[in-house]
Amino acid sequence: MSLKVLKFGGSSLADANQFRRVAEIIKSEPERRYIVASAPGKRTSVDIKVTDLLYKCYELAINEEDITETFNEIKQRYIDIINELKINLDLNDIFEKIQMSMLHNSGRDYIASRGEYLNAMILAKYLDFSFIDAKKVIFFKEDGTFDADKTNDVMSEYLSKHRYAVIPGFYGSMPNGTIKTFSRGGSDITGSIVARAARATVYENWTDVSGFLMADPRCISNPKPINTITYKELRELSYMGATVLHEDAIFPVRYSKIPINIKNTNRPEDRGTFIVPETDEISEDVITGIAGKTGFSTITIEKDMMNAELGFGRRVLQVIEENEVSFEHFPSGIDTMTVVVPTKDLHAKRADIMAGICKAVDPENIFVEENLALIAIVGRGMVKAKGTAARIFTALANASVNIRMIDQGSCELNIIVGVDSNDYITALKAIYREFVK
Ligand code: ASP
């Protein structure tokens, strides 16, 4: 039997009107049984998310400043929703408890989590669904990492006792019972965890866009939507994906091969994007999407006979690791090795890293170049299509873009090119135009 888990983002639950839409979506299919709610998001582009207001209250409280105005603003957001929807729910005691906890410097995570806690409570009442507090079903380990096994066992048990339920997103509990949140946007992860525990047929992630686009609309005007993308492809496109779906939201459902459907609350009729384990469906454009990012630097190390020196690469990477910088790629030649790292991480550590590499491998030459942009061209169709790389390079040459770096994994799922940051947009446009019809 089909069972759907739905997660609604902050903009989908920002006010009473959005609550009405959400309820209509949920009630339109009886298999839409478990709902994960975010805190109220922005109602307009200049509005402030409740989560941000809660963080502000926390800051004010620890600096012993007055929280009344900000806290009243938060309260009012919920009161407006309750009044407009005529929900019979009195949250005064809970508001008071939260305000007291702020004044007594309760943890930052506890305070931030109250945004989803309150919103989920209101939604549960409005829908007449059970409310399951995430602290009882989502667990973190002593070291702060997510406890997937315990969560899955306890959550499955709870869900089996409630046919229809709303669960607040974003947080869970530590072994000592205190509240811990995921990173920002973490309600996506909660949705995925619930979908796994419920053995859902699909995890519908409802947001304010109709899925993923083939390229960033800030760089390419009106890019085509992506109908279907695999988990692996989405990981490769993570520069782009993170703005629509939290990067870590893939892992729980990936484990049980549950598809994710990104849907638009304001345009429920749109198909949206399906993120699936595997598919035979190949895009007519060969590529699935293009994503990129500026702000990288390369550290190039040259030394004759490098290829014969056992452990050379490991020693270089060890220096970078010891300086707590994570690298993005490391293309190499016979006598050269290049490590690509985010410029902002390199800046503070540059002198230490350079000195460390010199000491570790005694290179003939070592230099840093900045202003690199990376562009990932991703597509499961590339394995079978001949000439994809040639098309990319020709398109870039015709647009007068110099390629500074190339990297292709042997899985042939992606080709990554590095170009000068000044050429970034030109390069994206040239590649998009070449492939997307
Ligand atoms: N409310 C949290 C945030 O703004 C979590 C979420 O919406 O997913 O980051």
Side-chain angles (χ1 to χ4, degrees), residues 7 9-10 38-39 49 51-52 55 112 116 169-170 183-188:
K7 176 258 167 177
S38 275
K49 286 176 163 197
T51 308
D52 290 315
Y55 281 126
E116 346 295 287
F170 195 33
S183 56
R184 294 300 305 264
S187 300
D188 286 340

Side-chain angles (χ1 to χ4, degrees), residues 232-249:
K232 274 191 192 152
E233 286 177 303
L234 187 61
R235 289 287 302 146
E236 297 295 340
L237 285 170
S238 59
Y239 295 148
M240 155 174 109
T243 54
V244 178
L245 182 75
H246 193 296
E247 264 198 90
D248 296 342

